[in-house]
Amino acid sequence: MSSISQKTIHHYLRHKKKFPHVWCPGCSNGIVLGAVIRAIAELKYDKDNIAMVSGIGCSSRMPVYVDFNTLHTLHGRAIAYATGIKFYKPEMKVIVVTGDGDATAIGGNHFIHAARRNIDLTVILINNNIYGMTGGQYSPTTALGDRSTTTPYGNIDPVFDICELAMGSGATFVARTTAYHALEAQAFIKRALEHKGFSLVEIMSACPVIYGRLNHKGDAVEMMKQMKENAVPIAAYEKLIEEEKKNKYRRGIFRQIESPEYTEQYQNLIYSLQEKQGVQE
Amino acid sequence: MPKVRRSESKESNKNEIVPVLMQGNEAIARGALDAGLDFFAGYPITPSTEIAEILAHQLPRRGGKFIQMEDEIASIAAIVGASLTGAKAMTATSGPGFSLMMEGIGYAKMIETPCVVVNVMRGGPSTGLPTSPSQGDLMQSRWGSHGDAPAIVLYPDSVLESYELTIRAFNLAEKYRTCVVLLSDEVLAHMREAVTLPDIKEVKMISRIKPNVPPEWYRHYENNPKYRSPLASYGEGYRFHVTGLAHDPYGFPTSRPDEVSVMMNRLRNKVRHHINDLVQIESFMMEDATTAIFAAGITARAAKSAVRQLRRSGKRVGLLRPLTIWPFPDDAIRQHLINKKTIIVPEMNQGQLSLEIKRVMGSVWNYASLKTRKIIEIRKCNGELITPGEIISAVKEVKKDE
C-alpha cells in the first residue's frame, strides 16, 4: 500500500484546477478521498471508465477533485443518477460518494431500492452524524441525546444503523470502518469495487468543527482517538458484555455474498429476446 | 411529411398506406422508439402508464433499456444519468409525478443534458381527477422548477401529432441540450384514432453534436452564437465535471458573477434566439375571421369543430392553435390576432393561456382599441371536456353584441 506514491495520487486528482478543497480543518473527508484513490490505483482502473456520482453535502463535494467522469447531483439523488449511468453503460465503474443525511434521509428510498436491485454500484457513505454543509442539523445517524442546531435540547430521534439498513434491503456487500482505520477503509473500498453487485462501505468520520464542537467531543485528534477506541471489529464486539458495548460499534465486513446483478440480468434478457426474434425471422 | 408507412404485415406491399388504430399514449411510445429512444425510466401513474408498459415490452427487444424506478424523482434522475452516458432518454408521468420531477427537470436544464419528459395532464391540484383530462399544467411546465430556466414545451392535438411531436421533442432536446416537455392530456392519451404514420426514413432525426477536439481542449459548455455546443458522453475519454451549482465552461462550480451571467444568458438565449425554430402554430380559417379562438391540445379539436359549424352558418370565425406552448409564440400571435375583434380562449383550467394572451395582446392594443376588443375566457376544470357546443354558444353570444 505504501508503494502508491504521491505521483500516483496526483494522477487521479484534478489538483491543478481545484485545490484547495472546501473541507474544514480536521475533517475526515480528505482521508476517505485518499483511501478511494489508493484503492482505485491498486486496481489500476482506467480513469475514463470510472464515474463518480455524488449528491449534496460535505462528502458530496468529493467528485470535483478527482479526474474521473464526475457528476455532482441533487440532494439525495446520487444513487438514482448513478443507476441511470450504470444501467445504460454497465461496463463503467460507478462510484457513489454520499453522506448520512444525503443517503439515508432525503435519499433513503433510492438507497434501499438500489440495494434491493443489487445493481453494481459502489456506495461510499461518509457518516459524520450531522448535516455539516448547512451548519449542523441532526441527521438520521445523530445519536440519542446529541446536540445539533435543530436538537438544542438533545436528540430524541432513534438512529439508523446504515449497514443493517443496507443488508435488510438486500445489499450484497456491506462493510463499515472509520477514517481512523484509513488502510482498512482502502482495503474495504477495493473489495467493494471488485464486488459484483450493490456494495456499501460506510466510513465513520469526524466533524470536529461542527458535530464535535456542539457535543464537546474534543478536537480532530481527540475524535480520531474516539474512533480508534469505539469502532470494534465485529467478532470482538460480539464478545463484549452489554455495559462495554455502550458507545461502541462494529466495524468490518458484515456481508459479502454472490447474487445476480441487475444490469447483467437485464442484458441477459435482451440477448434472449433478440435470440428469439432471430429464430422467428 | 409523406403519408407512407412501413407496413407491419409481411404480406402487404411495402409502400402501401396502412392506417392503424392507435391510442395517443401508444403514438408517443412509437414516436419515441422511432426517434431512437435508448433508455426509459418511469413510475406508474394514470393516465400515462401505457407509455411505460409499451416501452417495457419494446425497448429490450431493440437492445434498449427500460427500468421502473422507485418514484418519479428517481425516474427523471435515471434518464439524465443515462443521457449523460450517451442515451436518448425519456420518462412519462402525470400531474403529481410531474410535480415531483420539477427539481430534476431544473437540474437537466442547468446541466444542459438532453431528455424528454412526457406529462399526460389529468385533473388537479393534488391527486385531483386521475382519469379525467385537464390543461392545468401549462404554467407549471414553464415555471415549475425554481430559478429562471428556459422551457421548451410542445402540445399536440391528435394521435398522429402525438407521434410527430414526440420525435420533435427528441430532436429539440438533442439540438438545444435541454429537457423538453411534451404535454398530452387524459383524452388525447386514451383516444384511439386511425393514423397513417410517416416513413421514418424520411423523418428528420437530430442527435447531439459530438466533440471533435482532444479531451484537454474540451469544454462541456461552449458559448457560441448558435448556442449549439458539442456534448461528450461519460466513458468517452473526456472526463468532464457536471454540477447543478453555477458553473464555468468546463463545468466546475463558480460563483464569479461574470461567469454566472454568461451561463444564465446561455440558458436563456438558446431558447430566445431560436424562437423561429421552436415555435409551431396552426392557423385555421383565420384570414377573414373577426372572431378568433385560441386553443391548444384536445380543446383545439373541439374549437376546430366549432369553427367548421359556425362557418357553415356564415360566421367569420377562425382558430389559432399553438403546437409549441413554450416559448410562447408572442410574435405569431400578435400577427394573427392584432386585427381581431374578439379572442375566445377556451381551456381546461382556471385561465392560464388567457393570461398569456392578455399579456401579449395588451402590449399591442392601445387603450382606445381595448374598448372595442374583447378577450373571452371559457374556463372549465371539472374533469369534462369543453364541447364544440360551448364554444359555439360563446361565439354566438359575442356576435349578438356586435
Side-chain angles (χ1 to χ4, degrees):
Chain A
M1 285 170 203
S2 54
S3 66
I4 293 162
S5 65
Q6 281 281 340
K7 204 180 156 200
T8 313
I9 300 260
H10 281 284
H11 172 69
Y12 291 99
L13 290 175
R14 287 171 174 148
H15 63 290
K16 277 180 191 157
K17 278 176 194 155
K18 292 301 142 202
F19 281 81
H21 57 67
V22 296
W23 297 317
C24 306
C27 175
S28 300
N29 287 351
I31 297 171
V32 179
L33 172 59
V36 171
I37 287 177
R38 291 193 306 273
I40 290 170
E42 275 194 339
L43 291 164
K44 297 192 169 58
Y45 283 153
D46 179 359
K47 290 196 286 188
D48 289 340
N49 213 25
I50 300 173
M52 187 184 272
V53 188
S54 70
I56 296 292
C58 299
S59 55
S60 291
R61 294 302 282 260
M62 188 183 288
V64 79
Y65 307 117
V66 290
D67 192 19
F68 306 133
N69 303 279
T70 52
L71 182 59
H72 179 218
T73 69
L74 301 171
H75 198 18
R77 318 299 169 209
I79 289 174
Y81 284 92
T83 298
I85 295 171
K86 183 71 192 181
F87 189 35
Y88 186 64
K89 229 181 215 178
E91 62 272 26
M92 285 193 87
K93 266 282 158 203
V94 183
I95 302 166
V96 175
V97 180
T98 180
D100 42 317
D102 193 48
T104 65
I106 189 167
N109 205 21
H110 313 306
F111 180 75
I112 58 174
H113 286 279
R116 172 180 63 84
R117 285 186 195 107
N118 196 31
I119 186 164
D120 188 14
L121 304 175
T122 299
V123 177
I124 296 161
L125 194 156
I126 306 177
N127 182 355
N128 61 357
N129 310 99
I130 199 118
Y131 285 90
M133 188 144 275
T134 45
Q137 297 73 35
Y138 73 107
S139 86
T141 62
T142 302
L144 282 174
D146 273 2
R147 303 289 165 129
S148 72
T149 59
T150 45
T151 51
Y153 310 111
N155 176 32
I156 59 165
D157 278 29
V159 301
F160 260 145
D161 182 322
I162 294 175
C163 289
E164 292 289 349
L165 177 66
M167 284 189 284
S169 312
T172 48
F173 181 97
V174 179
R176 179 193 288 136
T177 183
T178 79
Y180 172 82
H181 304 88
L183 295 182
E184 187 175 82
Q186 177 186 337
F188 285 179
I189 293 168
K190 187 182 168 194
R191 286 177 74 168
L193 286 167
E194 286 176 310
H195 176 77
K196 192 192 280 178
F198 185 89
S199 53
L200 167 76
V201 182
E202 181 189 6
I203 302 175
M204 304 306 294
S205 77
C207 172
V209 170
I210 297 174
Y211 180 72
R213 178 173 53 82
L214 291 172
N215 291 289
H216 311 291
K217 299 277 183 190
D219 61 10
V221 177
E222 192 52 43
M223 288 185 82
M224 278 287 170
K225 282 185 189 158
Q226 288 158 15
M227 287 197 283
K228 180 186 175 189
E229 282 159 21
N230 293 340
V232 183
I234 298 168
Y237 182 88
E238 305 306 336
K239 286 178 195 149
L240 296 177
I241 54 168
E242 265 331 289
E243 286 165 27
E244 291 173 321
K245 283 183 182 172
K246 194 171 177 281
N247 289 333
K248 299 235 186 315
Y249 51 87
R250 296 167 294 170
R251 68 179 165 85
I253 295 172
F254 293 89
R255 179 190 279 173
Q256 184 171 16
I257 52 170
E258 289 210 4
S259 183
E261 194 275 324
Y262 186 77
T263 61
E264 210 172 76
Q265 293 281 96
Y266 199 87
Q267 201 56 52
N268 290 340
L269 170 75
I270 290 174
Y271 291 146
S272 71
L273 284 171
Q274 289 180 338
E275 221 165 81
K276 261 186 219 162
Q277 271 171 329
V279 170
Q280 277 171 4
E281 280 163 21
Chain B
M1 281 183 232
K3 301 265 179 203
V4 182
R5 191 185 142 262
R6 292 167 308 155
S7 60
E8 287 284 287
S9 141
K10 279 171 197 162
E11 290 82 37
S12 59
N13 186 329
K14 270 190 180 167
N15 293 323
E16 199 183 332
I17 299 165
V18 189
V20 279
L21 192 63
M22 195 182 270
Q23 193 190 50
N25 277 344
E26 214 178 327
I28 290 172
R30 278 292 278 277
L33 289 169
D34 285 352
L37 179 74
D38 299 301
F39 189 99
F40 182 97
Y43 186 82
I45 185 165
T46 305
S48 76
T49 312
E50 292 86 357
I51 299 171
E53 287 173 341
I54 294 164
L55 293 173
H57 188 258
Q58 289 297 322
L59 268 174
R61 293 169 170 268
R62 300 162 186 239
K65 306 277 169 84
F66 170 92
I67 186 168
Q68 183 170 309
M69 295 299 286
E70 51 274 16
D71 57 29
E72 286 90 348
I73 298 172
S75 304
I76 179 82
I79 67 164
V80 170
S83 180
L84 277 165
T85 319
K88 278 192 175 179
M90 178 174 97
T91 184
T93 188
S94 182
F98 194 54
S99 293
L100 285 177
M101 286 181 187
M102 279 303 147
E103 192 190 11
I105 289 173
Y107 182 75
K109 288 176 182 174
M110 180 63 150
I111 65 168
E112 299 182 51
T113 298
C115 62
V116 174
V117 174
V118 179
N119 174 21
V120 183
M121 291 184 283
R122 64 190 227 185
S126 190
T127 314
L129 297 160
T131 56
S132 303
S134 121
Q135 298 179 312
D137 307 348
L138 301 179
M139 283 294 175
Q140 188 192 19
S141 67
R142 172 66 188 90
W143 302 108
S145 296
H146 62 277
D148 251 331
I152 302 175
V153 180
L154 315 177
Y155 189 8
D157 80 338
S158 68
V159 172
L160 177 63
E161 214 173 80
S162 296
Y163 171 88
E164 291 168 344
L165 289 193
T166 304
I167 295 176
R168 184 166 150 80
F170 276 95
N171 284 347
L172 295 178
E174 294 281 319
K175 186 171 177 183
Y176 295 108
R177 285 180 56 173
T178 190
C179 173
V180 174
V181 173
L182 178 77
L183 294 175
S184 178
D185 55 64
E186 189 278 329
V187 169
L188 201 50
H190 290 154
M191 175 171 75
R192 287 179 195 275
E193 286 186 289
V195 293
T196 310
L197 298 182
D199 183 352
I200 54 163
K201 277 182 235 117
E202 305 197 16
V203 179
K204 195 179 171 201
M205 301 293 175
I206 301 175
S207 291
R208 59 194 73 177
I209 307 170
K210 287 285 177 187
N212 54 5
V213 295
E216 55 277 20
W217 293 4
Y218 177 66
R219 300 205 297 181
H220 195 59
Y221 306 99
E222 196 76 60
N223 267 306
N224 58 39
K226 286 191 168 173
Y227 298 98
R228 283 201 72 187
S229 62
L231 178 56
S233 299
Y234 282 162
E236 288 178 347
Y238 286 87
R239 297 200 306 272
F240 49 92
H241 183 65
V242 173
T243 177
L245 290 166
H247 43 261
D248 66 16
Y250 296 94
F252 292 114
T254 180
S255 48
R256 272 175 49 183
D258 57 334
E259 288 181 337
V260 176
S261 55
V262 165
M263 182 202 78
M264 289 302 287
N265 286 338
R266 185 178 61 245
L267 293 184
R268 177 165 180 257
N269 290 343
K270 69 179 178 184
V271 171
R272 217 171 68 110
H273 288 191
H274 293 96
I275 297 278
N276 290 342
D277 184 32
L278 296 168
V279 161
Q280 280 187 331
I281 195 158
E282 184 196 359
S283 145
F284 179 70
M285 296 192 166
M286 284 288 287
E287 284 76 27
D288 63 337
T290 53
T291 299
I293 303 168
F294 185 81
I298 194 71
T299 308
R301 290 288 282 272
K304 202 176 252 180
S305 162
V307 168
R308 284 204 187 96
Q309 290 179 46
L310 286 160
R311 283 274 171 183
R312 257 177 251 142
S313 54
K315 303 276 190 306
R316 293 201 296 172
V317 184
L319 166 70
L320 194 62
R321 175 175 76 92
L323 285 75
T324 308
I325 303 286
W326 305 106
F328 202 68
D330 290 20
D331 288 341
I333 288 169
R334 273 189 211 110
Q335 230 171 55
H336 282 101
L337 299 184
I338 189 156
N339 294 319
K340 307 300 173 203
K341 276 193 171 160
T342 311
I343 304 166
I344 298 177
V345 189
E347 51 185 328
M348 289 188 285
N349 56 50
Q350 297 190 327
Q352 300 188 14
L353 280 180
S354 62
L355 207 63
E356 282 299 293
I357 289 292
K358 283 175 199 162
R359 175 184 64 77
V360 172
M361 297 320 290
S363 67
V364 285
W365 285 349
N366 59 30
Y367 183 72
S369 69
L370 271 176
K371 287 182 182 166
T372 57
R373 296 174 200 276
K374 263 187 266 175
I375 295 171
I376 295 171
E377 300 170 0
I378 303 176
R379 298 180 304 215
K380 196 172 183 183
C381 40
N382 60 359
E384 285 178 331
L385 289 175
I386 295 173
T387 62
E390 284 169 278
I391 298 169
I392 290 169
S393 32
V395 173
K396 282 185 176 162
E397 201 67 30
V398 174
K399 295 284 179 190
K400 225 188 283 168
D401 294 349
E402 286 169 7

